């Protein structure tokens, strides 16, 4: 689609530096046929895309962007926003029995079935993003592999024998990831494993 994505894009707090980098990139990419630059993103355009604009005092959930406060201010001057997103939270209530009001039944699934049979659902889930390419099989498999770096559960909404929707649940281990620098040091692995087995105080709906 003649779009370049700035994966893992970082820069110092200097407007002139950012302008020079984007200017050089634009000139080189124009020669190769690129007509648009989108960023910052993660290794997939759907991972850690965008910049955090507020609530810097809170630890961001896994898979969401975290950046210095100056980053969004400088990008506002150099680029145009494509979209806005928000995170919401709710306190779960114990003993609440869900009411069945529709034809779907939730059933826990496995990642292998998720990746093989639900590519269409993946594409539909992300289909409203005009500034993103369609999800193909390679990206779907990458997203699933990336999610499984931490514990997660895959659930399908089944209508009869047909999958009609999906969701992914994870304990929010962002504080563990931050304290261990992503678990790069093997000495942290026993402690990370212990943290993953403990009851968590919060989770996230991916």
């Amino acid at each position: 689609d003649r779009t370049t994505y700035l994966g893992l894009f970082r820069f110092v707090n200097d407007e002139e530096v950012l302008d020079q980098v984007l200017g050089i990139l634009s000139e080189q990419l124009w020669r190769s046929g690129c007509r648009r630059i989108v960023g910052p993103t993660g290794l997939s355009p759907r991972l850690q895309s965008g910049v955090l604009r507020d609530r810097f005092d809170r630890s961001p959930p896994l898979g969401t962007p975290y950046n210095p406060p100056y980053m969004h201010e400088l990008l506002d001057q150099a680029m145009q926003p494509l979209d806005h997103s928000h995170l919401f939270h709710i306190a779960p209530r114990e003993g609440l029995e869900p009411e069945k009001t529709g034809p779907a039944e939730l059933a826990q699934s496995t990642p292998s079935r998720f990746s093989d049979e639900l590519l269409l659902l993946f594409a539909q889930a992300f289909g409203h993003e005009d500034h993103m390419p369609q999800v193909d099989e390679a990206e779907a498999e990458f997203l699933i592999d990336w999610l499984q770096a931490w514990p997660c559960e895959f659930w399908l909404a089944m209508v009869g024998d047909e999958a009609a929707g999906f969701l992914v649940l994870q304990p929010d281990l962002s504080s563990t990831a931050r304290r261990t620098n992503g678990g790069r040091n093997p000495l942290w692995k026993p402690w990370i494993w212990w943290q993953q087995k403990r009851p968590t105080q919060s989770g996230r709906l991916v």
Side-chain angles (χ1 to χ4, degrees):
D1 60 357
R2 304 207 295 180
T3 299
T4 292
Y5 297 91
L6 298 179
L8 308 179
F9 186 50
R10 296 291 185 270
F11 52 87
V12 297
N13 187 10
D14 190 301
E15 181 181 357
E16 184 177 349
V17 170
L18 177 61
D19 287 341
Q20 287 182 349
V21 170
L22 292 178
I24 293 172
L25 276 177
S26 299
E27 183 177 348
Q28 294 181 346
L29 292 169
W30 184 271
R31 298 193 194 118
S32 63
C34 172
R35 294 298 179 262
R36 184 173 63 166
I37 299 174
V38 173
T41 72
L43 295 177
S44 161
R46 290 168 180 82
L47 295 176
Q48 299 169 315
S49 291
V51 293
L52 184 67
R53 302 185 67 90
D54 54 25
R55 300 301 178 104
F56 291 94
D57 57 317
R58 297 191 176 187
S59 178
L62 290 171
T64 57
Y66 191 80
N67 48 263
Y70 64 77
M71 193 167 182
H72 77 85
E73 297 177 356
L74 294 182
L75 287 177
D76 281 345
Q77 302 175 33
M79 304 175 75
Q80 297 178 345
L82 281 176
D83 202 355
H84 294 85
S85 63
H86 303 271
L87 289 175
F88 298 87
H89 67 91
I90 185 173
R93 290 173 286 175
E94 294 184 6
L96 182 65
E97 291 293 332
E99 297 182 5
K100 182 178 178 181
T101 58
E105 295 277 357
L106 277 178
Q108 194 166 358
S109 184
T110 61
S112 59
R113 185 185 177 196
F114 198 84
S115 60
D116 292 340
E117 298 182 11
L118 299 181
L119 178 59
L120 179 60
L121 289 179
F122 252 85
Q124 291 175 343
F126 298 112
H128 66 285
E129 299 167 316
D130 295 334
H131 56 283
M132 296 286 189
Q134 284 291 100
V135 175
D136 57 16
E137 186 174 356
E139 185 176 10
E141 291 178 355
F142 172 75
L143 290 170
I144 291 170
D145 288 342
W146 188 88
L147 285 171
Q148 292 182 93
W150 300 95
C152 61
E153 294 182 2
F154 295 82
W155 288 76
L156 299 180
M158 304 294 296
V159 178
D161 294 329
E162 184 177 352
F166 69 92
L167 57 86
V168 183
L169 298 172
Q170 278 189 316
D172 187 10
L173 297 171
S174 56
S175 59
T176 299
R178 186 181 69 254
R179 290 182 63 181
T180 61
N181 195 24
R184 293 180 179 87
N185 190 331
L187 297 178
W188 279 109
K189 287 187 176 180
W191 187 79
I192 294 174
W193 181 88
W194 177 70
Q195 287 287 325
Q196 291 178 356
K197 299 299 181 182
R198 297 179 63 205
T200 56
Q201 299 297 315
S202 62
R204 68 191 201 105
L205 176 62
V206 182

